[in-house]
Amino acid sequence: MNKTQQNQPKKVLRIARYKSVFLRPTGVVARCGKSVYICPDFHKKLSRIVCILGDGEIKLTDYLHSVLKHHFEDFGEEINTIHARNQKPIL
């Protein structure tokens, strides 16, 4: 079995994991959130991901919620460490 064939199962698993983590409805209601402005290029890319990969079953809000949730889970410790280092005494 060559290297390309060996990587196929890993790639299939990564794709399945991506779909299960990011391309599913979250139940978050956009009108209860806040407006966030992003550059037009990112908006175009995000909209295409949601429309094409989400098969019309998810909204942009669902995708962004999932991406940010994953980011906070992956980098929460680092975020807290940076925050703790940046705290300055008030007086």
Side-chain angles (χ1 to χ4, degrees):
M1 184 181 306
N2 66 33
K3 192 169 186 146
T4 303
Q5 290 172 327
Q6 290 173 340
N7 288 336
Q8 287 294 20
K10 288 181 186 177
K11 188 172 185 174
V12 170
L13 288 174
R14 285 180 55 90
I15 291 169
R17 182 165 186 265
Y18 183 88
K19 289 171 111 175
S20 71
V21 170
F22 297 111
L23 299 177
R24 61 181 178 77
T26 61
V28 173
V29 180
R31 67 181 169 273
C32 294
K34 304 285 183 187
S35 294
V36 176
Y37 298 95
I38 58 174
C39 71
D41 183 51
F42 284 178
H43 188 274
K44 182 179 176 182
K45 289 175 182 177
L46 292 169
S47 295
R48 292 192 68 199
I49 289 169
V50 167
C51 181
I52 295 167
L53 303 184
D55 294 326
E57 296 180 18
I58 65 169
K59 302 173 295 217
L60 185 55
T61 301
D62 294 318
Y63 185 74
L64 290 174
H65 176 82
S66 297
V67 168
L68 290 171
K69 181 178 181 224
H70 190 266
H71 174 77
F72 293 143
E73 289 170 355
D74 281 358
F75 294 101
E77 188 174 323
E78 291 82 357
I79 292 167
N80 286 330
T81 299
I82 294 167
H83 177 266
R85 286 182 188 164
N86 290 336
Q87 289 304 302
K88 309 276 189 263
I90 294 174
L91 299 175

